Amino acid sequence: MTETESIAYDVVVLGAGPVGENVADRTRAAGLTTAVVESELVGGECSYWACMPSKALLRPVIAQADARRLPGLAPAVQGPLDTPAVLARRDEYTSHWKDDGQVGWLDGIGADLYRGHGRLAGPRTVTVTAPDGTVETLTARHAVAVATGTRAWLPDLPGLAEVNPWTSREATSAGAAPARLIVVGGGVVATEMATAWQALGSRVTLLVRGKGLLNRMEPFAGELVAEALTQAGADVRTGTSVESVTRENGTVVAVTVAGDRIEAEEILFATGRIPHTDDIGLDTVGLEPGSWLGVDDTLRVTGTDWLYAVGDVNHRALLTHQGKYQARIAGAAIAARAAGDTVQVESWGAYTATADHHAVPQVVFTDPEAAAVGLSLAEAEQAGHRVRAVDVEFSAVAGAGLYADGYKGRARMVVDLEDEILRGVTFVGPGVSELIHSATVAVAGRVPVSRLWHAVPSYPTLSEVWLRLLESYRDK
């Protein structure tokens, strides 16, 4: 092991995923020298094993499902998908798991990339152990930003290690569709991957410990997605826990608590995420290895004046777009503090990630899609708001019928009766992913219901659901 002299930067970023890249982009734009440390591929989980490959897998699935709901087109798309072609397109969107383009982007903004394992070695100090064993020490004049994200959590089940189960990484990067696939979990990864692989040729069995799918959204979201998965041929079993797993002659055997025996070629555990902080030197700065990092609204780690935690690692909102938003806020706060400026910590200010608390949008790219922003009805009531939920079936919207025969979906807005603003909005149905930003603007902007009356939706579009929601609110 060879150690070199310390190299000083204004900012050091641990992690070169989308979040770390955005922190670097903002600090470089402010003229701060910035180093970025990455042990895997520049571009991170989202680019190679999550957002991009999963959506590349799902887009043909959704397009075919939409086409099958249209007379004149449906007969032409009844056959199976060309799975090798879908996988090849997925590979293009992951750049074949090569990060040359992302490295070029970092070079373009003037950030220095250090490949290797980065660890804190005390306040404002990071050591980088390169693949060849060389150790370099980086010091940060102003800030270190931890953007190391999360990794899949696997339960402590008998036989699991020997089974070599899929996690989200294997599910998004697999080179072929297994004939049978068991999916354990009921959240976003589980439902999206069940949707994709069922359509790509696998017989999917979805095992859900809870009562339903997508339990962080309005109940009707999970109900509609479960119904559609079942109609597509998946075996959806709720209230089911896995007791043990084995692999016998290449076949995975999962045994449930109820004693059911389920066989498949592969098993995917989509059972949660844990912070990627176990070996980044947190103990050298008085923090617990493997823990989530608590932060204030400028994304600065509690109890420090130099350490920031941005993206999934702070557990505020485990979504790429929300992490990138946090990165923009953190970058601005780091730059302002480096310049000696006063950082005003006020709601919706330039240095405050207020949206994390009030207006987090999310889309689940199943068929039907489920999209939500803000609080569900239950969350709003638990928070002490006096609210009313307004529900509308998309069948009441002319644009939905034009979009697809038999269009099935539902919209809900949660209205704060004190301020007459929206606390949350949920859409479920084909194509609703492109509706959610309108709801995000309404929730983040605290737009009064009285003003929303003057935001006229174009006819005949799915957006007319807004008019139906407002009419229902007015008439009750």
Side-chain angles (χ1 to χ4, degrees):
M1 181 181 296
T2 304
E3 188 165 351
T4 61
E5 292 184 4
S6 174
I7 305 171
Y9 288 89
D10 293 322
V11 180
V12 177
V13 182
L14 283 180
V19 175
E21 289 176 326
N22 272 265
V23 173
D25 184 44
R26 292 298 83 211
T27 56
R28 284 298 301 131
L32 300 178
T33 59
T34 302
V36 181
V37 182
E38 177 55 58
S39 62
E40 294 190 288
L41 295 176
V42 175
E45 199 80 10
C46 177
S47 299
Y48 307 104
W49 301 287
C51 316
M52 296 305 289
S54 66
K55 304 315 168 281
L57 291 174
L58 284 159
R59 178 60 197 140
V61 175
I62 302 305
Q64 183 186 54
D66 282 345
R68 286 176 171 175
R69 289 186 275 260
L70 289 172
L73 184 55
V77 292
Q78 288 305 313
L81 287 167
D82 184 342
T83 299
V86 173
L87 298 181
R89 183 172 185 263
R90 182 272 318 272
D91 294 350
E92 290 292 326
Y93 271 90
T94 61
S95 301
H96 297 273
W97 291 274
K98 296 179 181 178
D99 63 2
D100 298 7
Q102 300 274 11
V103 172
W105 182 87
L106 273 183
D107 288 342
I109 66 170
D112 290 345
L113 172 64
Y114 289 81
R115 288 193 181 274
H117 182 70
R119 298 184 82 256
L120 293 167
R124 295 185 171 85
T125 305
V126 172
T127 60
V128 184
T129 304
D132 64 3
T134 301
V135 178
E136 293 189 277
T137 300
L138 312 178
T139 57
R141 299 183 186 93
H142 299 293
V144 174
V146 177
T148 50
T150 60
R151 64 174 183 272
W153 175 81
L154 290 172
D156 184 16
L157 281 178
L160 186 58
E162 292 74 27
V163 165
N164 194 25
W166 279 11
T167 67
S168 54
R169 283 198 169 195
E170 291 76 20
T172 55
S173 63
R180 296 166 297 177
L181 174 65
I182 300 168
V183 179
V184 182
V188 177
V189 173
T191 53
E192 288 189 347
M193 291 298 93
T195 299
W197 290 110
Q198 178 68 35
L200 291 170
S202 301
R203 284 194 289 129
V204 171
T205 301
L206 184 59
L207 306 179
V208 187
R209 183 174 59 182
K211 295 180 179 180
L213 306 181
L214 303 175
N215 61 10
R216 295 187 179 181
M217 300 181 104
E218 298 285 8
F220 63 82
E223 292 165 4
L224 288 169
V225 170
E227 180 183 329
L229 276 169
T230 300
Q231 290 175 350
D235 180 2
V236 180
R237 306 185 191 186
T238 58
T240 302
S241 295
V242 177
E243 186 174 61
S244 67
V245 289
T246 56
R247 190 179 286 273
E248 302 172 6
N249 299 319
T251 299
V252 175
V253 178
V255 178
T256 70
V257 172
D260 295 329
R261 177 185 169 97
I262 306 164
E263 297 185 355
E265 278 62 47
E266 301 292 349
I267 185 167
L268 162 63
F269 278 85
T271 47
R273 309 286 297 180
I274 56 175
H276 212 300
T277 61
D278 53 310
D279 190 23
I280 62 168
L282 292 184
D283 53 309
T284 69
V285 294
L287 298 171
E288 182 180 351
S291 65
W292 301 101
L293 296 176
V295 295
D296 62 20
D297 279 346
T298 69
L299 290 310
R300 190 163 59 178
V301 173
T302 306
T304 75
D305 63 0
W306 59 275
L307 184 62
Y308 292 73
V310 193
D312 288 4
V313 76
N314 62 38
H315 208 226
R316 286 163 69 104
L318 276 64
L319 297 159
T320 296
H321 49 270
Q322 210 67 21
K324 292 165 69 173
Y325 159 74
Q326 292 175 11
R328 296 190 292 271
I329 297 294
I334 289 168
R337 286 171 174 144
D341 297 337
T342 299
V343 172
Q344 298 287 348
V345 182
E346 57 187 2
S347 293
W348 308 108
Y351 310 117
T352 311
T354 311
D356 288 349
H357 306 299
H358 304 290
V360 175
Q362 180 174 18
V363 177
V364 185
F365 291 89
T366 46
D367 176 37
E369 293 174 338
V373 63
L375 303 177
S376 67
L377 174 61
E379 289 170 339
E381 290 175 339
Q382 289 166 7
H385 300 297
R386 190 166 70 88
V387 294
R388 192 174 95 207
V390 180
D391 290 357
V392 167
E393 299 295 323
F394 268 96
S395 58
V397 179
L402 288 168
Y403 189 99
D405 281 8
Y407 188 108
K408 189 171 185 179
R410 185 182 301 176
R412 168 174 288 181
M413 67 178 188
V414 179
V415 183
D416 186 309
L417 298 175
E418 300 290 341
D419 299 328
E420 284 221 316
I421 59 171
L422 304 187
R423 291 291 176 183
V425 180
T426 299
F427 300 124
V428 182
V432 299
S433 58
E434 297 300 336
L435 284 181
I436 198 59
H437 191 61
S438 59
T440 303
V441 171
V443 173
R446 297 174 61 87
V447 181
V449 171
S450 60
R451 178 58 60 89
L452 286 174
W453 271 106
H454 300 281
V456 183
S458 297
Y459 180 86
T461 66
L462 290 176
S463 292
E464 274 204 304
V465 74
W466 280 107
L467 179 56
R468 302 286 92 85
L469 286 166
L470 293 167
E471 288 171 340
S472 295
Y473 177 70
R474 175 198 61 189
D475 295 340
K476 291 183 180 179

